[in-house]
PDB file of all heavy atoms in Angstrom:
ATOM      1  N   GLU A   1     -90.729   5.325  13.939  1.00 94.00           N
ATOM      2  CA  GLU A   1     -90.620   6.317  12.865  1.00 94.00           C
ATOM      3  C   GLU A   1     -90.430   5.685  11.485  1.00 94.00           C
ATOM      4  O   GLU A   1     -90.532   6.363  10.478  1.00 94.00           O
ATOM      5  CB  GLU A   1     -89.477   7.280  13.171  1.00 94.00           C
ATOM      6  CG  GLU A   1     -89.763   8.127  14.395  1.00 94.00           C
ATOM      7  CD  GLU A   1     -88.602   9.000  14.781  1.00 94.00           C
ATOM      8  OE1 GLU A   1     -87.724   8.515  15.546  1.00 94.00           O
ATOM      9  OE2 GLU A   1     -88.567  10.163  14.329  1.00 94.00           O
ATOM     10  N   HIS A   2     -90.190   4.395  11.466  1.00 94.00           N
ATOM     11  CA  HIS A   2     -90.005   3.681  10.199  1.00 94.00           C
ATOM     12  C   HIS A   2     -91.292   3.001   9.715  1.00 94.00           C
ATOM     13  O   HIS A   2     -91.285   2.355   8.677  1.00 94.00           O
ATOM     14  CB  HIS A   2     -88.887   2.643  10.340  1.00 94.00           C
ATOM     15  CG  HIS A   2     -87.563   3.266  10.633  1.00 94.00           C
ATOM     16  ND1 HIS A   2     -86.715   3.722   9.650  1.00 94.00           N
ATOM     17  CD2 HIS A   2     -86.947   3.547  11.808  1.00 94.00           C
ATOM     18  CE1 HIS A   2     -85.644   4.238  10.191  1.00 94.00           C
ATOM     19  NE2 HIS A   2     -85.753   4.157  11.507  1.00 94.00           N
ATOM     20  N   PHE A   3     -92.386   3.136  10.463  1.00 94.00           N
ATOM     21  CA  PHE A   3     -93.648   2.491  10.097  1.00 94.00           C
ATOM     22  C   PHE A   3     -94.524   3.456   9.305  1.00 94.00           C
ATOM     23  O   PHE A   3     -94.678   4.621   9.678  1.00 94.00           O
ATOM     24  CB  PHE A   3     -94.406   2.009  11.338  1.00 94.00           C
ATOM     25  CG  PHE A   3     -93.656   0.979  12.153  1.00 94.00           C
ATOM     26  CD1 PHE A   3     -93.778   0.944  13.518  1.00 94.00           C
ATOM     27  CD2 PHE A   3     -92.826   0.049  11.539  1.00 94.00           C
ATOM     28  CE1 PHE A   3     -93.098  -0.001  14.275  1.00 94.00           C
ATOM     29  CE2 PHE A   3     -92.142  -0.901  12.282  1.00 94.00           C
ATOM     30  CZ  PHE A   3     -92.282  -0.920  13.667  1.00 94.00           C
ATOM     31  N   SER A   4     -95.123   2.942   8.246  1.00 93.00           N
ATOM     32  CA  SER A   4     -95.918   3.794   7.353  1.00 93.00           C
ATOM     33  C   SER A   4     -97.241   4.228   7.980  1.00 93.00           C
ATOM     34  O   SER A   4     -97.819   5.231   7.564  1.00 93.00           O
ATOM     35  CB  SER A   4     -96.173   3.079   6.025  1.00 93.00           C
ATOM     36  OG  SER A   4     -96.894   1.879   6.254  1.00 93.00           O
ATOM     37  N   ASP A   5     -97.746   3.508   8.979  1.00 93.00           N
ATOM     38  CA  ASP A   5     -99.037   3.864   9.586  1.00 93.00           C
ATOM     39  C   ASP A   5     -98.895   4.846  10.755  1.00 93.00           C
ATOM     40  O   ASP A   5     -99.874   5.174  11.415  1.00 93.00           O
ATOM     41  CB  ASP A   5     -99.798   2.615  10.029  1.00 93.00           C
ATOM     42  CG  ASP A   5     -99.051   1.767  11.048  1.00 93.00           C
ATOM     43  OD1 ASP A   5     -97.839   1.996  11.258  1.00 93.00           O
ATOM     44  OD2 ASP A   5     -99.664   0.860  11.631  1.00 93.00           O
ATOM     45  N   LEU A   6     -97.701   5.349  10.993  1.00 94.00           N
ATOM     46  CA  LEU A   6     -97.449   6.299  12.076  1.00 94.00           C
ATOM     47  C   LEU A   6     -98.197   7.610  11.819  1.00 94.00           C
ATOM     48  O   LEU A   6     -98.135   8.158  10.729  1.00 94.00           O
ATOM     49  CB  LEU A   6     -95.946   6.587  12.171  1.00 94.00           C
ATOM     50  CG  LEU A   6     -95.512   7.656  13.167  1.00 94.00           C
ATOM     51  CD1 LEU A   6     -95.690   7.157  14.592  1.00 94.00           C
ATOM     52  CD2 LEU A   6     -94.059   8.027  12.929  1.00 94.00           C
ATOM     53  N   ASP A   7     -98.896   8.103  12.831  1.00 95.00           N
ATOM     54  CA  ASP A   7     -99.519   9.424  12.776  1.00 95.00           C
ATOM     55  C   ASP A   7     -98.419  10.422  13.178  1.00 95.00           C
ATOM     56  O   ASP A   7     -98.142  10.621  14.368  1.00 95.00           O
ATOM     57  CB  ASP A   7    -100.702   9.487  13.736  1.00 95.00           C
ATOM     58  CG  ASP A   7    -101.423  10.822  13.726  1.00 95.00           C
ATOM     59  OD1 ASP A   7    -100.778  11.864  13.462  1.00 95.00           O
ATOM     60  OD2 ASP A   7    -102.637  10.821  14.012  1.00 95.00           O
ATOM     61  N   GLN A   8     -97.786  11.035  12.191  1.00 94.00           N
ATOM     62  CA  GLN A   8     -96.626  11.886  12.410  1.00 94.00           C
ATOM     63  C   GLN A   8     -96.894  13.012  13.412  1.00 94.00           C
ATOM     64  O   GLN A   8     -96.065  13.301  14.274  1.00 94.00           O
ATOM     65  CB  GLN A   8     -96.150  12.496  11.077  1.00 94.00           C
ATOM     66  CG  GLN A   8     -95.636  11.496  10.089  1.00 94.00           C
ATOM     67  CD  GLN A   8     -94.253  10.973  10.427  1.00 94.00           C
ATOM     68  OE1 GLN A   8     -93.521  11.560  11.218  1.00 94.00           O
ATOM     69  NE2 GLN A   8     -93.895   9.854   9.832  1.00 94.00           N
ATOM     70  N   GLU A   9     -98.039  13.645  13.298  1.00 94.00           N
ATOM     71  CA  GLU A   9     -98.347  14.783  14.162  1.00 94.00           C
ATOM     72  C   GLU A   9     -98.496  14.357  15.624  1.00 94.00           C
ATOM     73  O   GLU A   9     -97.941  14.977  16.526  1.00 94.00           O
ATOM     74  CB  GLU A   9     -99.620  15.484  13.672  1.00 94.00           C
ATOM     75  CG  GLU A   9     -99.887  16.786  14.387  1.00 94.00           C
ATOM     76  CD  GLU A   9    -101.074  17.521  13.786  1.00 94.00           C
ATOM     77  OE1 GLU A   9    -101.243  17.475  12.547  1.00 94.00           O
ATOM     78  OE2 GLU A   9    -101.813  18.129  14.568  1.00 94.00           O
ATOM     79  N   ARG A  10     -99.257  13.289  15.850  1.00 94.00           N
ATOM     80  CA  ARG A  10     -99.436  12.813  17.225  1.00 94.00           C
ATOM     81  C   ARG A  10     -98.126  12.305  17.805  1.00 94.00           C
ATOM     82  O   ARG A  10     -97.802  12.549  18.966  1.00 94.00           O
ATOM     83  CB  ARG A  10    -100.478  11.688  17.268  1.00 94.00           C
ATOM     84  CG  ARG A  10    -101.897  12.178  17.045  1.00 94.00           C
ATOM     85  CD  ARG A  10    -102.866  11.029  16.951  1.00 94.00           C
ATOM     86  NE  ARG A  10    -103.208  10.521  18.272  1.00 94.00           N
ATOM     87  CZ  ARG A  10    -103.935   9.432  18.471  1.00 94.00           C
ATOM     88  NH1 ARG A  10    -104.412   8.744  17.448  1.00 94.00           N
ATOM     89  NH2 ARG A  10    -104.207   9.026  19.687  1.00 94.00           N
ATOM     90  N   TYR A  11     -97.362  11.597  16.990  1.00 96.00           N
ATOM     91  CA  TYR A  11     -96.116  11.001  17.465  1.00 96.00           C
ATOM     92  C   TYR A  11     -95.059  12.066  17.773  1.00 96.00           C
ATOM     93  O   TYR A  11     -94.300  11.922  18.734  1.00 96.00           O
ATOM     94  CB  TYR A  11     -95.584  10.009  16.430  1.00 96.00           C
ATOM     95  CG  TYR A  11     -94.437   9.183  16.949  1.00 96.00           C
ATOM     96  CD1 TYR A  11     -94.658   8.110  17.800  1.00 96.00           C
ATOM     97  CD2 TYR A  11     -93.129   9.476  16.602  1.00 96.00           C
ATOM     98  CE1 TYR A  11     -93.608   7.349  18.288  1.00 96.00           C
ATOM     99  CE2 TYR A  11     -92.067   8.727  17.085  1.00 96.00           C
ATOM    100  CZ  TYR A  11     -92.319   7.657  17.921  1.00 96.00           C
ATOM    101  OH  TYR A  11     -91.274   6.916  18.407  1.00 96.00           O
ATOM    102  N   ALA A  12     -95.007  13.121  16.991  1.00 95.00           N
ATOM    103  CA  ALA A  12     -93.999  14.169  17.203  1.00 95.00           C
ATOM    104  C   ALA A  12     -94.072  14.723  18.619  1.00 95.00           C
ATOM    105  O   ALA A  12     -93.042  14.978  19.258  1.00 95.00           O
ATOM    106  CB  ALA A  12     -94.169  15.288  16.182  1.00 95.00           C
ATOM    107  N   GLN A  13     -95.263  14.887  19.130  1.00 95.00           N
ATOM    108  CA  GLN A  13     -95.453  15.430  20.483  1.00 95.00           C
ATOM    109  C   GLN A  13     -95.016  14.420  21.551  1.00 95.00           C
ATOM    110  O   GLN A  13     -94.556  14.800  22.624  1.00 95.00           O
ATOM    111  CB  GLN A  13     -96.919  15.809  20.676  1.00 95.00           C
ATOM    112  CG  GLN A  13     -97.202  16.555  21.944  1.00 95.00           C
ATOM    113  CD  GLN A  13     -98.669  16.929  22.064  1.00 95.00           C
ATOM    114  OE1 GLN A  13     -99.545  16.249  21.533  1.00 95.00           O
ATOM    115  NE2 GLN A  13     -98.924  18.007  22.759  1.00 95.00           N
ATOM    116  N   LEU A  14     -95.128  13.120  21.239  1.00 97.00           N
ATOM    117  CA  LEU A  14     -94.830  12.078  22.218  1.00 97.00           C
ATOM    118  C   LEU A  14     -93.407  11.554  22.152  1.00 97.00           C
ATOM    119  O   LEU A  14     -92.909  10.985  23.114  1.00 97.00           O
ATOM    120  CB  LEU A  14     -95.801  10.904  22.038  1.00 97.00           C
ATOM    121  CG  LEU A  14     -97.281  11.234  22.183  1.00 97.00           C
ATOM    122  CD1 LEU A  14     -98.117   9.989  21.980  1.00 97.00           C
ATOM    123  CD2 LEU A  14     -97.575  11.874  23.523  1.00 97.00           C
ATOM    124  N   LYS A  15     -92.753  11.720  21.015  1.00 97.00           N
ATOM    125  CA  LYS A  15     -91.414  11.133  20.841  1.00 97.00           C
ATOM    126  C   LYS A  15     -90.447  11.518  21.960  1.00 97.00           C
ATOM    127  O   LYS A  15     -89.757  10.637  22.493  1.00 97.00           O
ATOM    128  CB  LYS A  15     -90.832  11.505  19.477  1.00 97.00           C
ATOM    129  CG  LYS A  15     -89.440  10.941  19.279  1.00 97.00           C
ATOM    130  CD  LYS A  15     -88.812  11.393  17.994  1.00 97.00           C
ATOM    131  CE  LYS A  15     -87.359  10.949  17.933  1.00 97.00           C
ATOM    132  NZ  LYS A  15     -86.677  11.460  16.751  1.00 97.00           N
ATOM    133  N   PRO A  16     -90.351  12.796  22.359  1.00 97.00           N
ATOM    134  CA  PRO A  16     -89.426  13.107  23.464  1.00 97.00           C
ATOM    135  C   PRO A  16     -89.759  12.335  24.745  1.00 97.00           C
ATOM    136  O   PRO A  16     -88.861  11.886  25.455  1.00 97.00           O
ATOM    137  CB  PRO A  16     -89.606  14.613  23.675  1.00 97.00           C
ATOM    138  CG  PRO A  16     -90.124  15.120  22.378  1.00 97.00           C
ATOM    139  CD  PRO A  16     -90.969  14.009  21.824  1.00 97.00           C
ATOM    140  N   LEU A  17     -91.049  12.142  25.011  1.00 98.00           N
ATOM    141  CA  LEU A  17     -91.457  11.442  26.227  1.00 98.00           C
ATOM    142  C   LEU A  17     -91.147   9.954  26.128  1.00 98.00           C
ATOM    143  O   LEU A  17     -90.751   9.326  27.114  1.00 98.00           O
ATOM    144  CB  LEU A  17     -92.943  11.667  26.491  1.00 98.00           C
ATOM    145  CG  LEU A  17     -93.400  13.130  26.525  1.00 98.00           C
ATOM    146  CD1 LEU A  17     -94.868  13.231  26.860  1.00 98.00           C
ATOM    147  CD2 LEU A  17     -92.556  13.952  27.486  1.00 98.00           C
ATOM    148  N   LEU A  18     -91.323   9.371  24.940  1.00 98.00           N
ATOM    149  CA  LEU A  18     -90.989   7.961  24.731  1.00 98.00           C
ATOM    150  C   LEU A  18     -89.484   7.734  24.879  1.00 98.00           C
ATOM    151  O   LEU A  18     -89.044   6.734  25.449  1.00 98.00           O
ATOM    152  CB  LEU A  18     -91.479   7.496  23.361  1.00 98.00           C
ATOM    153  CG  LEU A  18     -93.001   7.466  23.195  1.00 98.00           C
ATOM    154  CD1 LEU A  18     -93.379   7.316  21.728  1.00 98.00           C
ATOM    155  CD2 LEU A  18     -93.620   6.361  24.037  1.00 98.00           C
ATOM    156  N   TRP A  19     -88.686   8.683  24.370  1.00 97.00           N
ATOM    157  CA  TRP A  19     -87.232   8.592  24.514  1.00 97.00           C
ATOM    158  C   TRP A  19     -86.836   8.716  25.983  1.00 97.00           C
ATOM    159  O   TRP A  19     -85.975   7.987  26.480  1.00 97.00           O
ATOM    160  CB  TRP A  19     -86.556   9.663  23.663  1.00 97.00           C
ATOM    161  CG  TRP A  19     -85.061   9.598  23.681  1.00 97.00           C
ATOM    162  CD1 TRP A  19     -84.208  10.577  24.100  1.00 97.00           C
ATOM    163  CD2 TRP A  19     -84.230   8.522  23.255  1.00 97.00           C
ATOM    164  NE1 TRP A  19     -82.894  10.172  23.955  1.00 97.00           N
ATOM    165  CE2 TRP A  19     -82.886   8.902  23.444  1.00 97.00           C
ATOM    166  CE3 TRP A  19     -84.491   7.251  22.738  1.00 97.00           C
ATOM    167  CZ2 TRP A  19     -81.806   8.068  23.137  1.00 97.00           C
ATOM    168  CZ3 TRP A  19     -83.413   6.416  22.435  1.00 97.00           C
ATOM    169  CH2 TRP A  19     -82.100   6.839  22.636  1.00 97.00           C
ATOM    170  N   PHE A  20     -87.480   9.626  26.702  1.00 97.00           N
ATOM    171  CA  PHE A  20     -87.219   9.802  28.133  1.00 97.00           C
ATOM    172  C   PHE A  20     -87.532   8.505  28.874  1.00 97.00           C
ATOM    173  O   PHE A  20     -86.757   8.054  29.730  1.00 97.00           O
ATOM    174  CB  PHE A  20     -88.067  10.958  28.653  1.00 97.00           C
ATOM    175  CG  PHE A  20     -87.602  11.593  29.936  1.00 97.00           C
ATOM    176  CD1 PHE A  20     -86.384  11.295  30.520  1.00 97.00           C
ATOM    177  CD2 PHE A  20     -88.402  12.536  30.560  1.00 97.00           C
ATOM    178  CE1 PHE A  20     -85.963  11.903  31.696  1.00 97.00           C
ATOM    179  CE2 PHE A  20     -88.002  13.151  31.735  1.00 97.00           C
ATOM    180  CZ  PHE A  20     -86.784  12.831  32.303  1.00 97.00           C
ATOM    181  N   TRP A  21     -88.673   7.895  28.571  1.00 98.00           N
ATOM    182  CA  TRP A  21     -89.091   6.622  29.179  1.00 98.00           C
ATOM    183  C   TRP A  21     -87.993   5.581  28.983  1.00 98.00           C
ATOM    184  O   TRP A  21     -87.556   4.932  29.932  1.00 98.00           O
ATOM    185  CB  TRP A  21     -90.385   6.178  28.522  1.00 98.00           C
ATOM    186  CG  TRP A  21     -90.996   4.900  28.961  1.00 98.00           C
ATOM    187  CD1 TRP A  21     -90.432   3.646  28.938  1.00 98.00           C
ATOM    188  CD2 TRP A  21     -92.311   4.707  29.465  1.00 98.00           C
ATOM    189  NE1 TRP A  21     -91.315   2.708  29.378  1.00 98.00           N
ATOM    190  CE2 TRP A  21     -92.479   3.335  29.709  1.00 98.00           C
ATOM    191  CE3 TRP A  21     -93.376   5.574  29.705  1.00 98.00           C
ATOM    192  CZ2 TRP A  21     -93.669   2.795  30.190  1.00 98.00           C
ATOM    193  CZ3 TRP A  21     -94.560   5.025  30.183  1.00 98.00           C
ATOM    194  CH2 TRP A  21     -94.702   3.669  30.434  1.00 98.00           C
ATOM    195  N   GLN A  22     -87.547   5.402  27.736  1.00 97.00           N
ATOM    196  CA  GLN A  22     -86.525   4.391  27.441  1.00 97.00           C
ATOM    197  C   GLN A  22     -85.210   4.688  28.149  1.00 97.00           C
ATOM    198  O   GLN A  22     -84.590   3.794  28.737  1.00 97.00           O
ATOM    199  CB  GLN A  22     -86.274   4.320  25.934  1.00 97.00           C
ATOM    200  CG  GLN A  22     -87.370   3.662  25.160  1.00 97.00           C
ATOM    201  CD  GLN A  22     -87.034   3.579  23.676  1.00 97.00           C
ATOM    202  OE1 GLN A  22     -85.870   3.598  23.283  1.00 97.00           O
ATOM    203  NE2 GLN A  22     -88.058   3.487  22.848  1.00 97.00           N
ATOM    204  N   MET A  23     -84.767   5.918  28.094  1.00 96.00           N
ATOM    205  CA  MET A  23     -83.479   6.273  28.678  1.00 96.00           C
ATOM    206  C   MET A  23     -83.523   6.255  30.206  1.00 96.00           C
ATOM    207  O   MET A  23     -82.525   5.924  30.856  1.00 96.00           O
ATOM    208  CB  MET A  23     -83.008   7.630  28.158  1.00 96.00           C
ATOM    209  CG  MET A  23     -82.707   7.622  26.665  1.00 96.00           C
ATOM    210  SD  MET A  23     -81.538   6.334  26.166  1.00 96.00           S
ATOM    211  CE  MET A  23     -80.052   6.944  26.937  1.00 96.00           C
ATOM    212  N   PHE A  24     -84.646   6.595  30.810  1.00 97.00           N
ATOM    213  CA  PHE A  24     -84.812   6.474  32.255  1.00 97.00           C
ATOM    214  C   PHE A  24     -84.634   5.020  32.656  1.00 97.00           C
ATOM    215  O   PHE A  24     -83.891   4.705  33.586  1.00 97.00           O
ATOM    216  CB  PHE A  24     -86.191   6.993  32.681  1.00 97.00           C
ATOM    217  CG  PHE A  24     -86.487   6.775  34.141  1.00 97.00           C
ATOM    218  CD1 PHE A  24     -86.117   7.720  35.085  1.00 97.00           C
ATOM    219  CD2 PHE A  24     -87.131   5.629  34.576  1.00 97.00           C
ATOM    220  CE1 PHE A  24     -86.389   7.521  36.434  1.00 97.00           C
ATOM    221  CE2 PHE A  24     -87.408   5.422  35.910  1.00 97.00           C
ATOM    222  CZ  PHE A  24     -87.032   6.367  36.849  1.00 97.00           C
TER     223      PHE A  24
END
């Protein structure tokens, strides 16, 4: 989320899943 080249719209949908992956 700190990178300027992030596609905010695409990432917003995936962020919960990426967090789940890490926390799992």
Side-chain angles (χ1 to χ4, degrees):
E1 294 175 273
H2 297 274
F3 299 146
S4 61
D5 59 348
L6 175 71
D7 181 330
Q8 295 285 343
E9 189 174 323
R10 288 174 80 187
Y11 190 78
Q13 188 179 28
L14 301 180
K15 179 185 173 185
L17 307 183
L18 294 167
W19 183 240
F20 201 9
W21 179 302
Q22 287 182 24
M23 294 306 292
F24 174 88

